[in-house]
Amino acid sequence: MNVEVPRSHAPSTSSIFSWPAPDPRAWIAALLFAAAALGLFTRRATFPYFYHIDEPTKVAQVLSGQRNFHHPLLLLKSARAALWVTGAPLTGQAVVEMGRAASATGAALAVGALVLLAWQLGGPIAGVLAGGFLVFNPLLFELAHYMKEDCVLLGGFMTCFAALSWYARCPSLAAAAVAGLAAGLAASGKYIGFSALALGLIPILAPARSFRGAWKAALLFLGIALAVFALINRDIFLTPNDAAAGLGSEFDKIQSAAEESGSFFQRKYITGLISYIPPPLFLGTLLWFALRWRNRRAQSAFIWVLSTFPIVLILAMSFCPKVKDRYVLPAMLILGVLGAAGLAEMARRKFRHAALAAWVLGVGAVLWPLPDLWLRYAGFGSDDRRELITWMRGNLPADATVAADARTCLGKALQSGQAAYWFPQTAWVSDKCAADLGSLEELRSWGIHYAAVSDQNYRYFLNPGKNRKADPVRQKRERFYQELFSTGRLLWERPREPLAYIHPGLRLYEF
Protein backbone atom coordinates (compact mmCIF):
# COMPACT_ATOMS: atom_id res chain seq x y z
CA MET A 1 0.00 0.00 0.00
CA ASN A 2 1.45 3.35 -0.96
CA VAL A 3 0.53 7.01 -0.71
CA GLU A 4 2.37 7.84 -3.92
CA VAL A 5 -0.76 8.10 -6.08
CA PRO A 6 -0.09 9.20 -9.66
CA ARG A 7 -1.69 12.53 -10.50
CA SER A 8 -3.78 10.98 -13.21
CA HIS A 9 -5.49 8.80 -10.61
CA ALA A 10 -6.11 11.53 -8.06
CA PRO A 11 -9.76 11.86 -7.00
CA SER A 12 -11.95 14.36 -8.77
CA THR A 13 -13.99 17.11 -7.19
CA SER A 14 -16.73 14.60 -6.53
CA SER A 15 -14.63 13.27 -3.67
CA ILE A 16 -14.51 16.63 -1.91
CA PHE A 17 -16.23 15.24 1.21
CA SER A 18 -15.00 11.68 0.82
CA TRP A 19 -12.85 9.76 3.25
CA PRO A 20 -10.65 6.85 2.15
CA ALA A 21 -11.68 3.37 3.19
CA PRO A 22 -8.49 2.12 4.88
CA ASP A 23 -7.65 -1.46 5.63
CA PRO A 24 -9.58 -2.26 8.84
CA ARG A 25 -6.50 -4.10 10.07
CA ALA A 26 -4.62 -0.80 10.10
CA TRP A 27 -7.10 0.72 12.53
CA ILE A 28 -7.08 -2.39 14.71
CA ALA A 29 -3.27 -2.38 14.81
CA ALA A 30 -3.17 1.33 15.58
CA LEU A 31 -5.64 0.96 18.45
CA LEU A 32 -3.81 -2.06 19.88
CA PHE A 33 -0.40 -0.41 19.78
CA ALA A 34 -1.80 2.86 21.17
CA ALA A 35 -3.47 0.98 24.02
CA ALA A 36 -0.27 -0.94 24.75
CA ALA A 37 1.68 2.31 24.75
CA LEU A 38 -0.78 4.01 27.09
CA GLY A 39 -0.66 1.06 29.48
CA LEU A 40 3.13 1.03 29.53
CA PHE A 41 3.64 4.80 29.60
CA THR A 42 1.38 5.29 32.62
CA ARG A 43 3.15 2.69 34.76
CA ARG A 44 5.32 3.92 37.64
CA ALA A 45 4.49 7.58 37.12
CA THR A 46 3.77 8.48 40.75
CA PHE A 47 7.17 9.74 41.91
CA PRO A 48 7.07 13.12 43.74
CA TYR A 49 6.43 16.17 41.59
CA PHE A 50 9.34 18.11 43.09
CA TYR A 51 11.94 15.67 41.69
CA HIS A 52 11.74 17.15 38.18
CA ILE A 53 13.19 20.63 37.81
CA ASP A 54 10.33 21.85 35.56
CA GLU A 55 7.26 20.13 36.99
CA PRO A 56 6.80 22.32 40.12
CA THR A 57 6.31 25.48 38.02
CA LYS A 58 3.68 23.72 35.89
CA VAL A 59 1.92 22.45 39.00
CA ALA A 60 1.87 25.98 40.41
CA GLN A 61 0.32 27.32 37.20
CA VAL A 62 -2.47 24.75 37.29
CA LEU A 63 -3.24 25.38 40.97
CA SER A 64 -3.07 29.19 40.79
CA GLY A 65 -4.50 29.75 37.32
CA GLN A 66 -1.61 32.11 36.55
CA ARG A 67 0.52 31.45 33.44
CA ASN A 68 4.14 32.13 32.58
CA PHE A 69 3.49 31.43 28.86
CA HIS A 70 6.83 29.73 28.31
CA HIS A 71 4.76 27.26 26.29
CA PRO A 72 1.20 27.13 24.92
CA LEU A 73 -1.42 25.82 27.31
CA LEU A 74 -2.58 22.41 26.04
CA LEU A 75 -0.73 20.46 28.73
CA LEU A 76 -1.87 22.71 31.58
CA LYS A 77 -5.47 22.82 30.38
CA SER A 78 -5.49 19.03 29.93
CA ALA A 79 -4.26 18.49 33.49
CA ARG A 80 -6.85 20.88 34.86
CA ALA A 81 -9.64 19.18 32.87
CA ALA A 82 -8.53 15.76 34.12
CA LEU A 83 -8.66 17.01 37.71
CA TRP A 84 -12.21 18.23 37.17
CA VAL A 85 -13.38 15.01 35.49
CA THR A 86 -11.82 12.68 38.08
CA GLY A 87 -12.53 14.84 41.12
CA ALA A 88 -8.94 14.45 42.27
CA PRO A 89 -7.79 16.74 45.10
CA LEU A 90 -6.11 20.03 44.20
CA THR A 91 -2.69 19.02 45.47
CA GLY A 92 0.68 19.26 43.79
CA GLN A 93 1.03 15.49 43.50
CA ALA A 94 -2.46 15.02 42.05
CA VAL A 95 -1.86 17.78 39.51
CA VAL A 96 1.45 16.35 38.33
CA GLU A 97 0.05 12.85 37.97
CA MET A 98 -2.78 14.19 35.82
CA GLY A 99 -0.22 16.13 33.78
CA ARG A 100 1.86 13.00 33.33
CA ALA A 101 -1.26 11.13 32.24
CA ALA A 102 -1.82 13.85 29.62
CA SER A 103 1.76 13.37 28.40
CA ALA A 104 1.27 9.61 28.21
CA THR A 105 -1.98 10.10 26.29
CA GLY A 106 -0.24 12.38 23.79
CA ALA A 107 2.52 9.81 23.34
CA ALA A 108 -0.01 6.99 22.86
CA LEU A 109 -1.92 9.09 20.31
CA ALA A 110 1.37 9.60 18.44
CA VAL A 111 1.99 5.84 18.46
CA GLY A 112 -1.44 5.08 16.98
CA ALA A 113 -1.12 7.80 14.34
CA LEU A 114 2.35 6.64 13.29
CA VAL A 115 1.21 3.03 13.00
CA LEU A 116 -1.51 4.22 10.60
CA LEU A 117 1.07 6.26 8.70
CA ALA A 118 3.50 3.34 8.47
CA TRP A 119 0.70 1.06 7.26
CA GLN A 120 -0.10 3.54 4.50
CA LEU A 121 3.56 3.74 3.49
CA GLY A 122 4.45 0.06 3.58
CA GLY A 123 1.48 -2.10 4.46
CA PRO A 124 1.09 -4.53 7.39
CA ILE A 125 4.81 -5.25 7.77
CA ALA A 126 5.64 -1.57 8.13
CA GLY A 127 2.73 -0.98 10.52
CA VAL A 128 3.69 -3.81 12.87
CA LEU A 129 7.40 -2.98 12.84
CA ALA A 130 6.68 0.70 13.47
CA GLY A 131 4.37 -0.20 16.34
CA GLY A 132 7.04 -2.31 18.00
CA PHE A 133 9.67 0.39 17.52
CA LEU A 134 7.40 3.05 19.05
CA VAL A 135 6.02 1.13 22.03
CA PHE A 136 9.48 -0.04 23.06
CA ASN A 137 11.20 3.30 22.40
CA PRO A 138 13.14 4.17 25.60
CA LEU A 139 13.16 7.94 25.12
CA LEU A 140 9.45 8.11 24.31
CA PHE A 141 8.74 5.89 27.33
CA GLU A 142 10.70 8.22 29.62
CA LEU A 143 9.28 11.49 28.31
CA ALA A 144 5.73 10.17 28.66
CA HIS A 145 6.39 9.99 32.42
CA TYR A 146 6.97 13.72 32.84
CA MET A 147 4.56 16.63 32.91
CA LYS A 148 6.29 18.23 29.94
CA GLU A 149 4.97 19.54 26.63
CA ASP A 150 7.01 17.28 24.35
CA CYS A 151 4.50 14.42 24.15
CA VAL A 152 1.37 16.53 23.69
CA LEU A 153 3.22 18.27 20.85
CA LEU A 154 4.10 14.86 19.46
CA GLY A 155 0.51 13.64 19.57
CA GLY A 156 -0.71 16.58 17.49
CA PHE A 157 2.24 16.54 15.09
CA MET A 158 2.08 12.84 14.29
CA THR A 159 -1.72 12.84 13.95
CA CYS A 160 -1.35 15.71 11.49
CA PHE A 161 1.09 13.66 9.41
CA ALA A 162 -1.25 10.65 9.48
CA ALA A 163 -4.19 12.80 8.29
CA LEU A 164 -2.04 14.32 5.55
CA SER A 165 -1.14 10.83 4.36
CA TRP A 166 -4.86 10.12 3.91
CA TYR A 167 -5.26 13.44 2.11
CA ALA A 168 -2.40 12.56 -0.24
CA ARG A 169 -4.17 9.29 -1.06
CA CYS A 170 -7.66 10.77 -1.33
CA PRO A 171 -7.88 14.59 -1.20
CA SER A 172 -10.99 15.72 0.67
CA LEU A 173 -12.24 18.40 3.01
CA ALA A 174 -12.71 15.77 5.70
CA ALA A 175 -9.03 14.80 5.64
CA ALA A 176 -7.99 18.47 5.63
CA ALA A 177 -10.25 19.16 8.62
CA VAL A 178 -8.70 16.34 10.67
CA ALA A 179 -5.22 17.54 9.71
CA GLY A 180 -6.18 21.06 10.80
CA LEU A 181 -7.46 19.83 14.15
CA ALA A 182 -4.21 17.94 14.73
CA ALA A 183 -2.09 20.91 13.65
CA GLY A 184 -3.97 23.12 16.12
CA LEU A 185 -3.17 20.64 18.88
CA ALA A 186 0.50 20.59 17.85
CA ALA A 187 0.68 24.39 17.96
CA SER A 188 -1.01 24.30 21.37
CA GLY A 189 1.60 21.84 22.64
CA LYS A 190 4.72 23.91 21.92
CA TYR A 191 5.26 26.98 19.80
CA ILE A 192 7.36 24.97 17.35
CA GLY A 193 4.14 23.12 16.60
CA PHE A 194 3.11 26.05 14.41
CA SER A 195 5.44 24.56 11.82
CA ALA A 196 2.74 21.90 11.28
CA LEU A 197 0.61 24.60 9.63
CA ALA A 198 3.27 25.37 7.05
CA LEU A 199 4.08 21.70 6.49
CA GLY A 200 0.43 20.85 6.03
CA LEU A 201 -0.26 23.46 3.38
CA ILE A 202 2.27 21.99 0.95
CA PRO A 203 0.60 18.59 0.35
CA ILE A 204 -2.88 20.07 0.70
CA LEU A 205 -2.32 22.54 -2.14
CA ALA A 206 -0.19 20.19 -4.24
CA PRO A 207 -3.05 18.38 -6.05
CA ALA A 208 -4.71 21.68 -7.02
CA ARG A 209 -4.92 20.84 -10.73
CA SER A 210 -6.88 17.64 -10.25
CA PHE A 211 -8.65 18.53 -7.02
CA ARG A 212 -10.61 21.75 -7.42
CA GLY A 213 -11.32 21.90 -3.70
CA ALA A 214 -7.65 22.28 -2.76
CA TRP A 215 -7.92 25.97 -1.85
CA LYS A 216 -11.07 25.29 0.16
CA ALA A 217 -9.22 22.45 1.89
CA ALA A 218 -6.28 24.74 2.65
CA LEU A 219 -8.53 27.42 4.13
CA LEU A 220 -10.41 24.81 6.16
CA PHE A 221 -7.12 23.36 7.40
CA LEU A 222 -5.81 26.76 8.50
CA GLY A 223 -9.13 27.90 9.92
CA ILE A 224 -9.61 24.84 12.10
CA ALA A 225 -5.98 24.86 13.24
CA LEU A 226 -6.12 28.52 14.30
CA ALA A 227 -9.54 28.09 15.91
CA VAL A 228 -8.30 25.15 17.99
CA PHE A 229 -5.24 27.13 19.04
CA ALA A 230 -7.37 30.17 19.97
CA LEU A 231 -9.80 28.04 21.96
CA ILE A 232 -7.12 26.29 23.99
CA ASN A 233 -4.91 29.37 24.41
CA ARG A 234 -7.51 32.02 25.11
CA ASP A 235 -5.34 33.35 27.95
CA ILE A 236 -2.65 34.39 25.46
CA PHE A 237 -5.06 36.77 23.75
CA LEU A 238 -6.47 38.09 27.03
CA THR A 239 -3.01 38.94 28.41
CA PRO A 240 -0.80 39.56 25.36
CA ASN A 241 1.88 41.47 27.30
CA ASP A 242 2.37 38.58 29.73
CA ALA A 243 2.46 36.13 26.84
CA ALA A 244 5.09 38.20 25.03
CA ALA A 245 7.17 38.42 28.20
CA GLY A 246 6.96 34.66 28.74
CA LEU A 247 8.01 33.90 25.19
CA GLY A 248 10.78 36.49 25.46
CA SER A 249 12.16 34.79 28.56
CA GLU A 250 12.54 31.59 26.55
CA PHE A 251 14.59 33.42 23.94
CA ASP A 252 16.68 34.93 26.75
CA LYS A 253 17.45 31.42 28.00
CA ILE A 254 18.54 30.38 24.53
CA GLN A 255 20.76 33.44 24.25
CA SER A 256 22.30 32.74 27.65
CA ALA A 257 22.90 29.11 26.69
CA ALA A 258 24.55 30.24 23.45
CA GLU A 259 26.94 32.51 25.36
CA GLU A 260 27.71 29.73 27.82
CA SER A 261 28.22 27.09 25.16
CA GLY A 262 30.54 29.04 22.93
CA SER A 263 29.75 26.61 20.10
CA PHE A 264 27.93 27.63 16.93
CA PHE A 265 26.98 24.14 15.75
CA GLN A 266 26.06 21.16 17.94
CA ARG A 267 27.16 17.87 16.37
CA LYS A 268 25.44 15.57 18.84
CA TYR A 269 22.17 15.16 16.92
CA ILE A 270 23.96 14.14 13.72
CA THR A 271 26.78 12.03 15.17
CA GLY A 272 24.37 10.36 17.58
CA LEU A 273 21.68 9.66 15.01
CA ILE A 274 22.40 5.94 15.00
CA SER A 275 21.82 5.87 18.76
CA TYR A 276 18.31 7.28 18.33
CA ILE A 277 17.26 4.59 15.86
CA PRO A 278 18.11 0.86 16.24
CA PRO A 279 20.82 0.03 13.68
CA PRO A 280 18.73 -2.66 11.92
CA LEU A 281 15.96 -0.10 11.46
CA PHE A 282 18.45 2.55 10.40
CA LEU A 283 19.34 0.34 7.43
CA GLY A 284 15.69 0.39 6.45
CA THR A 285 15.71 4.19 6.72
CA LEU A 286 18.66 4.42 4.35
CA LEU A 287 16.90 2.08 1.93
CA TRP A 288 13.76 4.22 2.08
CA PHE A 289 15.66 7.37 1.15
CA ALA A 290 17.62 5.59 -1.57
CA LEU A 291 14.46 4.29 -3.23
CA ARG A 292 12.68 7.63 -2.94
CA TRP A 293 15.62 9.40 -4.53
CA ARG A 294 15.90 6.85 -7.33
CA ASN A 295 12.23 7.44 -8.21
CA ARG A 296 12.22 11.10 -7.16
CA ARG A 297 10.14 12.34 -10.09
CA ALA A 298 7.26 10.07 -9.11
CA GLN A 299 7.12 11.13 -5.46
CA SER A 300 4.14 13.08 -4.14
CA ALA A 301 4.47 16.39 -2.30
CA PHE A 302 3.51 14.62 0.93
CA ILE A 303 6.38 12.15 0.56
CA TRP A 304 8.83 15.02 0.10
CA VAL A 305 7.48 16.82 3.16
CA LEU A 306 7.57 13.65 5.24
CA SER A 307 11.10 12.78 4.13
CA THR A 308 12.66 16.20 4.54
CA PHE A 309 10.97 17.15 7.84
CA PRO A 310 13.25 15.06 10.11
CA ILE A 311 16.38 16.23 8.28
CA VAL A 312 15.40 19.89 8.53
CA LEU A 313 14.47 19.56 12.21
CA ILE A 314 17.75 17.87 13.11
CA LEU A 315 19.78 20.49 11.26
CA ALA A 316 17.78 23.34 12.81
CA MET A 317 18.22 21.95 16.33
CA SER A 318 21.93 21.55 15.67
CA PHE A 319 22.18 25.35 15.65
CA CYS A 320 20.36 25.58 18.99
CA PRO A 321 22.77 25.95 21.94
CA LYS A 322 20.53 23.90 24.23
CA VAL A 323 21.09 20.23 23.41
CA LYS A 324 18.35 17.87 24.55
CA ASP A 325 17.43 14.54 22.96
CA ARG A 326 13.74 15.37 23.36
CA TYR A 327 14.07 18.29 20.93
CA VAL A 328 14.56 15.88 18.01
CA LEU A 329 12.10 13.22 19.17
CA PRO A 330 9.62 13.95 16.33
CA ALA A 331 12.40 13.56 13.76
CA MET A 332 13.68 10.37 15.37
CA LEU A 333 10.24 8.74 15.35
CA ILE A 334 9.52 9.73 11.75
CA LEU A 335 12.87 8.30 10.65
CA GLY A 336 12.04 5.08 12.49
CA VAL A 337 8.69 4.84 10.70
CA LEU A 338 10.40 5.42 7.35
CA GLY A 339 12.84 2.67 8.33
CA ALA A 340 9.92 0.30 8.94
CA ALA A 341 8.53 1.18 5.50
CA GLY A 342 11.98 0.61 4.01
CA LEU A 343 12.21 -2.88 5.52
CA ALA A 344 8.71 -3.63 4.21
CA GLU A 345 9.90 -2.71 0.73
CA MET A 346 12.95 -4.93 1.19
CA ALA A 347 10.64 -7.84 2.05
CA ARG A 348 8.87 -7.39 -1.30
CA ARG A 349 12.07 -7.30 -3.33
CA LYS A 350 12.55 -10.10 -5.83
CA PHE A 351 15.85 -11.44 -4.70
CA ARG A 352 16.69 -14.53 -2.71
CA HIS A 353 15.95 -14.38 1.03
CA ALA A 354 14.80 -10.74 0.81
CA ALA A 355 11.79 -11.37 3.03
CA LEU A 356 13.85 -13.32 5.55
CA ALA A 357 16.47 -10.59 5.74
CA ALA A 358 13.80 -7.93 6.22
CA TRP A 359 12.12 -9.83 9.03
CA VAL A 360 15.43 -10.57 10.77
CA LEU A 361 16.30 -6.88 10.64
CA GLY A 362 12.79 -5.96 11.76
CA VAL A 363 12.78 -8.28 14.76
CA GLY A 364 16.27 -7.09 15.64
CA ALA A 365 15.09 -3.48 15.49
CA VAL A 366 12.21 -4.18 17.87
CA LEU A 367 14.37 -6.13 20.34
CA TRP A 368 17.38 -3.80 20.19
CA PRO A 369 16.13 -1.14 22.65
CA LEU A 370 14.67 -3.57 25.21
CA PRO A 371 17.68 -3.51 27.60
CA ASP A 372 17.61 0.30 27.68
CA LEU A 373 13.84 0.28 28.08
CA TRP A 374 14.11 -2.15 30.99
CA LEU A 375 16.71 0.02 32.72
CA ARG A 376 14.39 3.03 32.52
CA TYR A 377 11.37 1.01 33.58
CA ALA A 378 13.28 -0.32 36.59
CA GLY A 379 14.60 3.18 37.28
CA PHE A 380 11.08 4.53 37.74
CA GLY A 381 10.45 1.74 40.27
CA SER A 382 13.09 2.86 42.78
CA ASP A 383 13.75 6.11 44.63
CA ASP A 384 17.29 7.09 45.66
CA ARG A 385 16.18 10.12 47.66
CA ARG A 386 13.79 8.04 49.70
CA GLU A 387 16.56 5.52 50.34
CA LEU A 388 18.86 8.34 51.47
CA ILE A 389 16.19 9.62 53.88
CA THR A 390 15.62 6.10 55.22
CA TRP A 391 19.36 5.73 55.84
CA MET A 392 19.59 9.14 57.54
CA ARG A 393 16.62 8.32 59.75
CA GLY A 394 18.25 5.14 60.98
CA ASN A 395 21.94 6.07 61.12
CA LEU A 396 22.45 9.80 61.78
CA PRO A 397 21.96 11.47 65.16
CA ALA A 398 18.45 12.85 65.42
CA ASP A 399 19.80 16.30 66.33
CA ALA A 400 22.24 16.44 63.40
CA THR A 401 22.08 19.17 60.76
CA VAL A 402 22.76 18.30 57.11
CA ALA A 403 23.92 20.87 54.54
CA ALA A 404 22.40 19.87 51.20
CA ASP A 405 22.43 20.61 47.49
CA ALA A 406 19.10 21.66 45.98
CA ARG A 407 18.80 18.52 43.84
CA THR A 408 18.76 16.30 46.94
CA CYS A 409 15.24 17.70 47.52
CA LEU A 410 15.56 17.03 51.26
CA GLY A 411 13.67 20.17 52.25
CA LYS A 412 10.82 19.59 49.79
CA ALA A 413 10.62 15.93 50.80
CA LEU A 414 10.19 16.86 54.46
CA GLN A 415 7.61 19.52 53.58
CA SER A 416 5.57 17.01 51.58
CA GLY A 417 4.24 15.54 54.80
CA GLN A 418 4.56 11.96 53.52
CA ALA A 419 5.71 9.44 56.11
CA ALA A 420 8.25 7.90 53.75
CA TYR A 421 10.01 11.27 53.42
CA TRP A 422 10.06 12.26 57.08
CA PHE A 423 13.35 12.43 58.99
CA PRO A 424 14.21 13.93 62.41
CA GLN A 425 17.39 15.71 61.33
CA THR A 426 17.52 19.37 60.29
CA ALA A 427 18.29 20.06 56.63
CA TRP A 428 19.89 23.26 55.40
CA VAL A 429 19.11 23.15 51.70
CA SER A 430 20.72 25.65 49.34
CA ASP A 431 18.90 27.14 46.39
CA LYS A 432 21.54 25.40 44.27
CA CYS A 433 24.78 24.15 45.84
CA ALA A 434 25.61 23.32 49.44
CA ALA A 435 28.80 25.31 48.84
CA ASP A 436 26.69 28.48 48.83
CA LEU A 437 25.81 27.90 52.49
CA GLY A 438 29.44 28.37 53.53
CA SER A 439 32.84 26.71 53.49
CA LEU A 440 33.42 23.43 55.31
CA GLU A 441 35.24 25.36 58.06
CA GLU A 442 32.31 27.72 58.47
CA LEU A 443 29.81 24.88 58.54
CA ARG A 444 31.82 23.09 61.24
CA SER A 445 31.88 26.25 63.33
CA TRP A 446 28.07 26.26 63.20
CA GLY A 447 27.89 22.63 64.35
CA ILE A 448 27.19 21.15 60.93
CA HIS A 449 29.17 18.01 60.14
CA TYR A 450 27.17 16.35 57.35
CA ALA A 451 26.64 17.22 53.69
CA ALA A 452 24.28 15.64 51.16
CA VAL A 453 25.30 16.46 47.61
CA SER A 454 24.02 15.63 44.13
CA ASP A 455 25.96 14.89 40.98
CA GLN A 456 23.56 17.17 39.10
CA ASN A 457 24.80 20.08 41.23
CA TYR A 458 28.50 19.43 41.68
CA ARG A 459 29.60 17.80 38.42
CA TYR A 460 29.54 21.09 36.52
CA PHE A 461 32.03 22.71 38.88
CA LEU A 462 34.43 19.76 38.83
CA ASN A 463 34.56 19.60 35.03
CA PRO A 464 37.31 21.94 33.80
CA GLY A 465 35.99 21.75 30.25
CA LYS A 466 32.80 23.52 31.32
CA ASN A 467 34.37 26.12 33.58
CA ARG A 468 35.10 28.57 30.79
CA LYS A 469 34.35 31.60 32.93
CA ALA A 470 36.27 31.46 36.20
CA ASP A 471 34.28 33.71 38.52
CA PRO A 472 34.51 33.78 42.36
CA VAL A 473 31.26 31.87 42.87
CA ARG A 474 32.38 28.98 40.68
CA GLN A 475 35.80 28.92 42.29
CA LYS A 476 34.21 28.78 45.74
CA ARG A 477 31.97 25.90 44.74
CA GLU A 478 34.85 24.01 43.14
CA ARG A 479 36.99 24.36 46.31
CA PHE A 480 34.09 23.23 48.49
CA TYR A 481 33.43 20.01 46.59
CA GLN A 482 37.09 19.18 46.11
CA GLU A 483 37.73 19.54 49.83
CA LEU A 484 34.60 17.60 50.75
CA PHE A 485 35.45 14.69 48.47
CA SER A 486 39.11 14.56 49.51
CA THR A 487 38.77 15.03 53.28
CA GLY A 488 35.21 14.01 54.10
CA ARG A 489 34.11 10.48 54.98
CA LEU A 490 31.66 8.97 52.50
CA LEU A 491 28.75 7.46 54.44
CA TRP A 492 26.26 6.62 51.70
CA GLU A 493 26.15 6.81 47.90
CA ARG A 494 23.97 6.09 44.90
CA PRO A 495 25.43 6.68 41.41
CA ARG A 496 23.79 8.83 38.77
CA GLU A 497 21.72 6.82 36.30
CA PRO A 498 20.05 7.59 32.93
CA LEU A 499 16.87 8.73 34.74
CA ALA A 500 18.68 11.65 36.30
CA TYR A 501 15.53 13.19 37.78
CA ILE A 502 14.93 10.02 39.79
CA HIS A 503 18.55 8.98 40.27
CA PRO A 504 20.54 12.24 40.30
CA GLY A 505 23.67 10.74 41.87
CA LEU A 506 23.59 11.25 45.64
CA ARG A 507 26.34 11.21 48.26
CA LEU A 508 26.26 11.75 52.01
CA TYR A 509 29.47 12.84 53.70
CA GLU A 510 30.63 13.42 57.24
CA PHE A 511 33.28 16.15 57.56
Side-chain angles (χ1 to χ4, degrees):
M1 197 174 294
N2 203 318
V3 296
E4 299 164 18
V5 181
R7 298 290 179 149
S8 59
H9 295 96
S12 66
T13 55
S14 61
S15 65
I16 195 167
F17 293 106
S18 69
W19 188 256
D23 186 340
R25 296 175 299 170
W27 288 103
I28 294 173
L31 289 173
L32 289 176
F33 279 113
L38 185 61
L40 180 62
F41 295 167
T42 51
R43 293 292 304 275
R44 298 185 171 181
T46 58
F47 55 93
Y49 74 94
F50 48 82
Y51 280 8
H52 195 292
I53 191 172
D54 292 330
E55 286 184 330
T57 60
K58 301 182 190 303
V59 167
Q61 290 181 77
V62 172
L63 291 176
S64 68
Q66 298 178 343
R67 313 298 186 200
N68 62 24
F69 298 107
H70 293 172
H71 300 285
L73 306 179
L74 177 58
L75 178 65
L76 302 182
K77 293 289 184 70
S78 298
R80 184 70 189 188
L83 286 169
W84 180 79
V85 170
T86 61
L90 293 178
T91 64
Q93 191 61 30
V95 169
V96 83
E97 290 183 19
M98 292 301 171
R100 291 169 186 166
S103 290
T105 301
L109 177 62
V111 169
L114 288 174
V115 169
L116 284 175
L117 175 60
W119 201 292
Q120 283 294 298
L121 295 176
I125 296 176
V128 172
L129 290 182
F133 161 69
L134 295 164
V135 172
F136 295 146
N137 189 281
L139 181 58
L140 183 60
F141 168 79
E142 179 183 347
L143 292 177
H145 281 70
Y146 302 139
M147 187 181 180
K148 293 281 289 178
E149 288 80 7
D150 302 279
C151 288
V152 292
L153 164 73
L154 197 67
F157 233 136
M158 299 303 108
T159 302
C160 183
F161 272 122
L164 291 173
S165 74
W166 291 120
Y167 185 92
R169 182 169 175 260
C170 182
S172 68
L173 293 183
V178 174
L181 172 63
L185 293 176
S188 299
K190 297 182 77 171
Y191 291 116
I192 194 174
F194 270 102
S195 61
L197 276 67
L199 293 172
L201 284 177
I202 298 173
I204 287 176
L205 290 174
R209 292 182 181 178
S210 55
F211 179 55
R212 285 180 287 174
W215 283 104
K216 291 181 181 179
L219 291 175
L220 182 65
F221 168 79
L222 282 178
I224 291 180
L226 294 176
V228 169
F229 179 84
L231 181 64
I232 295 174
N233 299 277
R234 187 172 66 98
D235 300 22
I236 291 179
F237 302 99
L238 294 177
T239 55
N241 291 335
D242 293 342
L247 184 58
S249 69
E250 288 296 288
F251 285 108
D252 290 341
K253 291 179 183 178
I254 295 175
Q255 179 63 30
S256 176
E259 295 174 355
E260 188 69 34
S261 172
S263 177
F264 178 72
F265 186 82
Q266 312 295 334
R267 300 183 182 88
K268 177 183 176 181
Y269 296 133
I270 296 176
T271 59
L273 187 60
I274 192 67
S275 66
Y276 299 136
I277 306 171
L281 197 59
F282 190 74
L283 293 175
T285 306
L286 295 178
L287 176 61
W288 163 270
F289 279 104
L291 294 176
R292 301 288 79 71
W293 182 252
R294 191 176 72 178
N295 301 311
R296 53 189 177 276
R297 293 186 178 181
Q299 306 308 314
S300 67
F302 171 73
I303 292 297
W304 283 114
V305 169
L306 183 67
S307 301
T308 56
F309 164 73
I311 299 173
V312 172
L313 179 61
I314 290 173
L315 289 176
M317 289 297 102
S318 296
F319 289 97
C320 179
K322 295 177 66 176
V323 180
K324 302 287 185 181
D325 289 343
R326 57 190 175 89
Y327 293 165
V328 295
L329 181 62
M332 178 188 72
L333 297 187
I334 288 291
L335 289 175
V337 167
L338 298 184
L343 292 182
E345 291 199 42
M346 176 187 293
R348 293 192 292 268
R349 290 285 159 179
K350 296 180 180 180
F351 62 85
R352 191 176 183 183
H353 305 311
L356 177 62
W359 277 108
V360 169
L361 290 173
V363 172
V366 172
L367 298 179
W368 186 276
L370 287 183
D372 189 9
L373 177 66
W374 171 250
L375 287 177
R376 301 191 195 214
Y377 181 82
F380 279 116
S382 59
D383 188 335
D384 290 350
R385 294 180 178 91
R386 187 169 58 195
E387 292 182 15
L388 170 60
I389 289 171
T390 300
W391 194 93
M392 288 171 51
R393 195 164 51 224
N395 294 276
L396 292 187
D399 61 350
T401 299
V402 180
D405 286 342
R407 292 294 184 93
T408 64
C409 296
L410 288 181
K412 294 177 180 178
L414 190 60
Q415 293 169 8
S416 71
Q418 299 182 43
Y421 297 98
W422 175 85
F423 54 94
Q425 293 81 18
T426 300
W428 281 20
V429 184
S430 169
D431 290 337
K432 188 168 186 179
C433 298
D436 300 337
L437 300 172
S439 66
L440 292 184
E441 183 178 353
E442 289 173 326
L443 293 176
R444 289 192 196 98
S445 69
W446 300 331
I448 302 174
H449 298 282
Y450 300 95
V453 295
S454 169
D455 180 272
Q456 284 189 309
N457 285 117
Y458 65 70
R459 69 184 308 195
Y460 179 84
F461 305 104
L462 299 183
N463 186 345
K466 291 189 176 182
N467 287 330
R468 296 185 176 91
K469 298 179 181 179
D471 60 66
V473 173
R474 285 192 175 135
Q475 291 174 346
K476 176 185 176 182
R477 291 169 175 172
E478 182 179 348
R479 287 194 301 269
F480 177 91
Y481 290 118
Q482 287 178 342
E483 183 180 354
L484 178 66
F485 296 161
S486 61
T487 64
R489 183 164 70 96
L490 181 63
L491 302 177
W492 183 94
E493 180 182 18
R494 290 291 183 275
R496 177 178 172 135
E497 296 181 10
L499 295 180
Y501 294 117
I502 315 298
H503 306 281
L506 298 174
R507 296 183 185 182
L508 179 66
Y509 282 89
E510 181 180 15
F511 58 89

